[in-house]
Amino acid sequence: MMSSCKRRLCFLSFLSLLSSLCDCHPHVSRMVGARAASNQTARKVSHIAEEVAGYTDVAKQIIDLAVYGAAQNRSYRRLADFTDTVGNRVSGSQNLEMAIKYMYKAMTQDGLDVHLEPVKIPHWMRGKESAEMISPRVKKLAILGLGSSVGTPPEGIESEVLVVQSFEELKKRSSEAVGKIVVFNQPFVSYGLTVAYRAFGASEAAKVGAVATLIRSITPFSINSPHTGWQDYQDGVKQIPTACITVEDAELMWRMAQRGQKIVVRLTMEAKTLPDADSFNTVAEIKGWQHPEQVVLLSGHLDSWDVGQGAMDDGGGAMISWEALSLIKDLGLRPRRTLRTVLWTGEEQGGVGAQQYFNLHKVNLSNFDLVMESDLGTFTPVALQFTGSDSARKVMEEVVQLLAPINTTKLEAHGEGTDISPWMQAGVPAASLHVADSRYFWFHHSEGDTMTVQNPQDMNLCSALWAVVAYVVADLEKMLDR
């Protein structure tokens, strides 16, 4: 056995040799440094994997309770009770006010710490509306006026129609648009691309002298169902009435126009915008035991459009964000950090309530660990979407492995959500729920958004995923790296 003195001499000789090598060969120094950094990273990843794996049993308890246990179908029942009682909940309406009071009472009775945070939101009213084709034949047109649209004169607008399929075609035929109702029959490519026609169609048509616009609903599927949504008037451009029509009627008028037939439509809308209304973001919490000032935020929005029940958009997202806290509370769990569910108001008008929440709380930006939003339905979960640093992504890749019992271990890029976008832009890690959403835009913003769309088992799975991810991230030793 070598003596301690000899070992020390050998070690010092090794350091001397290494130093001389590094002095003579800079690339050796870089290689040694890089190898050390790589080893450190590997050790860190290994530690993270080990720490997260320690939550396997807890994750299974949450999943079992949500999917097979006493909480099975609870989020679905809560959603049904809520939407059947309150109905749809458009910004500024009495129904939205009723919805906020309903959720405040329900979550308080559930044993959560609940409070309301006041905000101002837009108040647009649809009023009575109708449209009718009177030439080349008489036909009633199903319409839904678009949010923020002005109304027509009391007698309505009766005018010849110009049908186009794109903004480019409108520009080419601008001389034909003067004094006419422009019908946009744009094909559905994707919601993200096609929604521009709903958002900006009125102002683009007004620029070339149109008196109103009727826009093909932003949906890939229709059973003569119009879909509403918010639209934006451009500053300095005349505001003209605008509504969505069905895919079927847009295509009908396109075919008639292609045959050279003259089309005349009468449009009547009572739409008007009132002064901004008082409203609230609804907040429920489980306080963290070690770092109560640090927050993992879960969310969905409580408002909807004034058609259907708003069950899918976004009643489901709101309910699973409540259910996640219920599951954790029912199991007697309390994470290191605070779990905060926020049910946003005024989302459909562009995330108005959420922006005001951000403005109020951004002073504590560094204490927000992860922000989560569910606003693309609560169908069968497919993956968790995530935006954050590479090191945070490595943590989240381990976290989703805990979801193996429900086969949702995939982590995808790009968390999304209107309400969490201000936090994402400020660099806070963000996550969203990716579900099997191929049917989402069939019902989106239409009379078809009802409880019939929802499936209790899907909501169980979504609730389990939401609860596991939120709890584990909130309980890890360290916050996610920015």
Side-chain angles (χ1 to χ4, degrees):
M1 179 178 286
M2 187 181 294
S3 71
S4 60
C5 183
K6 286 183 177 179
R7 284 199 301 270
R8 193 176 298 113
L9 286 171
C10 287
F11 180 66
L12 290 172
S13 298
F14 169 74
L15 287 179
S16 177
L17 175 62
L18 181 61
S19 176
S20 64
L21 281 171
C22 292
D23 289 342
C24 296
H25 303 284
H27 69 278
V28 173
S29 177
R30 289 195 297 270
M31 286 171 62
V32 171
R35 190 175 295 114
S38 177
N39 290 338
Q40 185 178 3
T41 300
R43 284 195 298 272
K44 185 177 179 182
V45 170
S46 176
H47 172 73
I48 290 167
E50 185 178 342
E51 182 187 5
V52 173
Y55 289 93
T56 300
D57 289 344
V58 171
K60 189 175 186 303
Q61 289 176 38
I62 294 171
I63 290 168
D64 286 347
L65 178 60
V67 180
Y68 310 109
Q72 184 185 45
N73 301 342
R74 183 169 62 186
S75 59
Y76 176 88
R77 290 194 302 271
R78 285 173 167 177
L79 179 60
D81 290 345
F82 171 68
T83 56
D84 291 349
T85 300
V86 177
N88 54 55
R89 311 164 295 280
V90 73
S91 177
S93 68
Q94 288 186 345
N95 274 23
L96 178 56
E97 186 177 341
M98 188 192 313
I100 293 167
K101 290 177 180 177
Y102 180 106
M103 292 302 298
Y104 177 87
K105 180 179 179 181
M107 293 194 295
T108 299
Q109 289 177 341
D110 192 33
L112 300 172
D113 181 6
V114 188
H115 69 273
L116 302 177
E117 299 190 7
V119 294
K120 288 282 190 180
I121 57 174
H123 188 188
W124 174 82
M125 295 184 66
R126 179 180 304 283
K128 294 179 180 178
E129 58 187 14
S130 64
E132 184 179 34
M133 183 170 67
I134 56 179
S135 179
R137 66 178 176 89
V138 175
K139 183 185 186 301
K140 183 178 179 180
L141 305 175
I143 68 164
L144 281 175
L146 294 176
S148 83
S149 176
V150 297
T152 64
E155 68 277 11
I157 294 173
E158 184 177 311
S159 181
E160 188 176 345
V161 164
L162 171 67
V163 186
V164 297
Q165 289 192 301
S166 67
F167 289 134
E168 290 72 22
E169 184 181 357
L170 176 64
K171 289 176 183 176
K172 290 177 182 176
R173 303 178 65 186
S174 58
S175 61
E176 302 175 54
V178 178
K180 293 181 181 176
I181 296 174
V182 170
V183 170
F184 285 98
N185 180 42
Q186 76 288 339
F188 183 88
V189 179
S190 69
Y191 185 78
L193 292 174
T194 315
V195 74
Y197 288 89
R198 188 191 77 201
F200 310 121
S203 288
E204 290 303 311
K207 289 175 184 177
V208 292
V211 294
T213 53
L214 295 173
I215 297 164
R216 172 173 164 160
S217 288
I218 314 302
T219 179
F221 176 79
S222 179
I223 49 172
N224 206 45
S225 50
H227 297 238
T228 190
W230 194 250
Q231 69 90 39
D232 292 299
Y233 288 123
Q234 295 175 35
D235 292 339
V237 179
K238 183 180 178 182
Q239 297 183 359
I240 60 176
T242 180
C244 268
I245 56 174
T246 69
V247 170
E248 292 87 343
D249 286 340
E251 291 184 342
L252 168 66
M253 286 188 277
W254 169 254
R255 292 192 301 271
M256 287 176 167
Q258 291 300 103
R259 299 186 192 110
Q261 293 175 291
K262 179 181 177 180
I263 306 167
V264 178
V265 165
R266 182 187 297 117
L267 174 66
T268 305
M269 296 172 61
E270 291 182 348
K272 60 182 177 182
T273 297
L274 301 175
D276 285 355
D278 293 321
S279 190
F280 300 91
N281 290 316
T282 308
V283 183
E285 291 183 333
I286 296 175
K287 291 284 188 184
W289 66 266
Q290 186 177 29
H291 302 293
E293 76 285 358
Q294 297 174 0
V295 176
V296 168
L297 185 150
L298 310 88
S299 68
H301 65 86
L302 209 52
D303 66 302
S304 72
W305 279 104
D306 55 343
V307 288
Q309 287 183 291
M312 180 190 74
D313 183 19
D314 181 33
M319 290 301 147
I320 68 165
S321 295
W322 169 20
E323 180 67 18
L325 266 59
S326 293
L327 293 167
I328 291 160
K329 176 186 64 66
D330 290 351
L331 289 168
L333 300 171
R334 189 180 176 193
R336 296 175 191 271
R337 297 174 193 83
T338 294
L339 285 172
R340 180 180 297 167
T341 286
V342 183
L343 307 182
W344 310 110
T345 188
E347 186 277 342
E348 296 293 1
Q349 289 65 40
V352 178
Q355 183 63 56
Q356 290 172 69
Y357 180 89
F358 176 78
N359 293 343
L360 181 66
H361 293 278
K362 63 184 178 182
V363 65
N364 297 315
L365 191 75
S366 61
N367 280 328
F368 281 79
D369 190 8
L370 175 68
V371 291
M372 303 165 61
E373 180 173 6
S374 170
D375 188 21
L376 277 173
T378 46
F379 302 121
T380 306
V382 173
L384 186 74
Q385 298 167 316
F386 179 74
T387 294
S389 66
D390 289 343
S391 59
R393 173 167 292 279
K394 285 181 170 59
V395 175
M396 297 304 292
E397 285 171 349
E398 297 299 329
V399 171
V400 295
Q401 297 310 307
L402 299 171
L403 300 167
I406 54 172
N407 298 315
T408 51
T409 58
K410 188 176 181 182
L411 188 72
E412 297 177 342
H414 309 306
E416 60 180 303
T418 298
D419 295 308
I420 61 172
S421 60
W423 299 95
M424 292 171 61
Q425 290 165 16
V428 177
S432 53
L433 184 61
H434 180 192
V435 298
D437 58 3
S438 61
R439 296 181 299 133
Y440 182 78
F441 290 107
W442 294 9
F443 309 107
H444 182 247
H445 295 183
S446 78
E447 290 286 4
D449 183 356
T450 68
M451 279 304 299
T452 304
V453 175
Q454 298 297 130
N455 177 281
Q457 178 63 12
D458 286 348
M459 291 193 68
N460 294 339
L461 296 171
C462 289
S463 298
L465 183 156
W466 221 224
V468 169
V469 170
Y471 175 76
V472 173
V473 172
D475 199 56
L476 293 173
E477 289 180 14
K478 295 181 179 180
M479 291 177 66
L480 298 174
D481 290 336
R482 298 287 167 95

